[in-house]
Amino acid sequence: MFSIIWNTLYWWMRPLVKWVLRRTTRLCELQRICYGEYKGALRTCGVEFSLNHSRTPEIQKCIKYMDTKCQDCTLKPALIYYAVFAIVRIKGINTKVHKRFTDTLGECLTQVWGYRQLSAQIETIRREMYNSTNQSHEEKLLCLWDALMPETPLEARITKQWQVIGFQGDDPQTDFRGMGLLGLENLLFFAEQYPTAARHVLARSQHPTYGYSFAIVGINITHMAFHLLQNGDAKIHFYNASKRFPEVRAFHNFYCYLFFTFDELWRQEKPRDMMEFSRVRDKFEAQVKYKLKNPFAYFKCNFVLENI
C-alpha cells in the first residue's frame, strides 16, 4: 500500500521537481544526469529513464524513430548524432557553453540504442533454425567438433560421437530447435575464442559423479543469456562493458562468462544427478540477476581453471 502511494506521489510530483531544479540549476534533467552521474550504467540508465518518461512529443517521436531503426537493425552512428542534436535543439541547450554535454549524451545514446539493436540482432539469429542442407550451418557444426575435440576425428556426420560433447543423440540438429542457430554460435564462439576454458568445462562435464551434458547445458545457458538480454536484466553489464555499439561478439562473451560460471556452481552444489539441473539453474539465474543489480556490474571473461 505504501509503495503504491509513494509511486503515485512520485509521478505526480516529478514534473514539478524537474521544473524547480531547472529553474534553480539552469540545467535540464539530462544535463544534471550527464554531469552528475558516474560514467557507465549509472549515467546511461539515468538518461534512458529520462528520455522514456519525457512528455515532450518531439522527444517521443525521436525515440520511436530510433527504436524502429534498431528493430530493423539499420541504426548507424550518424543517426546517434542526429538524435543528440535533435534533443539539444528541443531542450534549448547552448552547446557553446555546454561543450562536453553533446559528447557525453552521445555516449549514453550509443549504449541505449546499441543495446536495443543488439537485442534485435540476437533475436534474428535465434529465429534462424538449424538446417542440415545449409552448408554454412553444417560447417559451423563441424568446426564445433574440431574446436572441442581437435585430436579425435569425426567418423561421420550422424554418429554417436556427438554424445561425447553432450548432444542427446546421433544428430545434433534436433537439439538446436529451441534456440535456433544462436545455440550453435554460442557454443562455437566459446570453443574457438576460449579453447582452453571450453575444453576444461567439457572435461569437467564428463566427471563420473558430477557430470552433465555439455552441449545441452550450453544451449540452456543460451536460453538464459537470451532472456536476460531481451528483458533488460543484462543492461547494466552491457552499459558498463562498451562505449560503442555492442556487437554480437559482446553477447557471445556474456554467454561464455555465464557458461563457465555455471560450471563452477554446478561443481560446488555437488548434485546427485541431472535431475537437479533445474534447481541449480534457477539458483544460478537468481545469483546472476542479483549481481546485475549492482550498477557497476561487468562480467569479464578472465577464466581461472580449477582441477577437473
Side-chain angles (χ1 to χ4, degrees):
M1 185 64 181
F2 176 77
S3 62
I4 296 174
I5 295 173
W6 171 251
N7 286 331
T8 302
L9 286 173
Y10 172 80
W11 290 111
W12 184 74
M13 294 291 292
R14 178 175 157 79
L16 177 61
V17 173
K18 287 177 61 179
W19 182 84
V20 171
L21 290 174
R22 178 72 184 255
R23 290 294 180 181
T24 55
T25 65
R26 295 189 177 184
L27 299 173
C28 70
E29 185 177 48
L30 288 174
Q31 288 174 294
R32 296 194 299 273
I33 293 168
C34 288
Y35 295 154
E37 294 290 359
Y38 285 104
K39 188 175 185 178
L42 272 174
R43 182 187 292 168
T44 301
C45 287
V47 168
E48 184 176 23
F49 180 87
S50 179
L51 291 175
N52 286 341
H53 294 88
S54 173
R55 296 185 179 184
T56 306
E58 288 178 285
I59 295 287
Q60 291 302 316
K61 183 179 179 180
C62 177
I63 292 173
K64 186 176 181 180
Y65 175 77
M66 298 294 281
D67 284 346
T68 300
K69 288 294 182 180
C70 290
Q71 290 301 315
D72 296 339
C73 298
T74 56
L75 185 66
K76 304 296 182 183
L79 286 176
I80 295 295
Y81 294 115
Y82 155 79
V84 169
F85 287 106
I87 291 170
V88 166
R89 178 185 60 80
I90 294 166
K91 294 291 186 179
I93 298 170
N94 187 338
T95 55
K96 292 181 179 180
V97 177
H98 302 281
K99 295 181 180 179
R100 68 185 182 94
F101 173 72
T102 54
D103 291 337
T104 304
L105 181 62
E107 288 180 6
C108 293
L109 297 189
T110 296
Q111 291 178 323
V112 169
W113 278 305
Y115 182 91
R116 295 180 187 184
Q117 179 158 276
L118 176 63
S119 296
Q121 291 172 327
I122 295 301
E123 170 65 6
T124 298
I125 298 173
R126 186 194 69 82
R127 286 182 178 179
E128 184 175 356
M129 292 294 101
Y130 186 93
N131 186 348
S132 59
T133 64
N134 186 312
Q135 185 177 355
S136 174
H137 294 185
E138 288 287 283
E139 288 176 354
K140 289 178 179 179
L141 181 61
L142 296 177
C143 284
L144 175 63
W145 175 270
D146 291 338
L148 291 173
M149 306 289 290
E151 298 179 2
T152 305
L154 192 65
E155 297 173 355
R157 165 59 182 81
I158 298 178
T159 170
K160 291 187 181 298
Q161 280 183 292
W162 290 113
Q163 296 175 35
V164 174
I165 61 173
F167 288 102
Q168 294 184 83
D170 299 349
D171 187 354
Q173 176 178 232
T174 57
D175 294 327
F176 294 121
R177 287 175 183 170
M179 296 309 296
L181 198 62
L182 184 61
L184 172 57
E185 292 200 356
N186 274 166
L187 285 168
L188 181 59
F189 184 90
F190 188 30
E192 289 187 335
Q193 298 301 315
Y194 304 101
T196 303
R199 292 171 199 161
H200 173 78
V201 173
L202 174 62
R204 283 163 62 93
S205 74
Q206 296 169 341
H207 190 278
T209 305
Y210 306 122
Y212 56 84
S213 300
F214 175 86
I216 296 302
V217 168
I219 294 171
N220 269 274
I221 298 299
T222 293
H223 181 273
M224 181 191 300
F226 172 76
H227 284 286
L228 288 171
L229 180 76
Q230 294 295 321
N231 63 25
D233 285 333
K235 278 183 183 180
I236 298 295
H237 161 75
F238 284 97
Y239 287 172
N240 286 326
S242 178
K243 297 178 183 178
R244 295 171 287 184
F245 278 102
E247 300 175 350
V248 172
R249 180 185 182 89
F251 177 78
H252 289 324
N253 275 312
F254 179 62
Y255 163 85
C256 293
Y257 172 88
L258 293 180
F259 197 172
F260 191 89
T261 310
F262 173 84
D263 174 76
E264 292 178 334
L265 178 64
W266 180 266
R267 186 58 64 88
Q268 291 171 13
E269 290 292 304
K270 292 181 169 49
R272 294 187 302 273
D273 50 43
M274 277 300 292
M275 295 299 290
E276 289 200 71
F277 174 75
S278 294
R279 176 187 66 81
V280 178
R281 183 196 181 282
D282 290 345
K283 181 176 181 178
F284 177 65
E285 185 172 7
Q287 290 180 353
V288 170
K289 287 182 176 181
Y290 178 78
K291 290 179 181 178
L292 287 170
K293 290 181 180 180
N294 182 339
F296 301 103
Y298 173 22
F299 297 160
K300 297 180 181 179
C301 293
N302 296 329
F303 301 131
V304 177
L305 310 185
E306 299 178 357
N307 295 330
I308 296 175

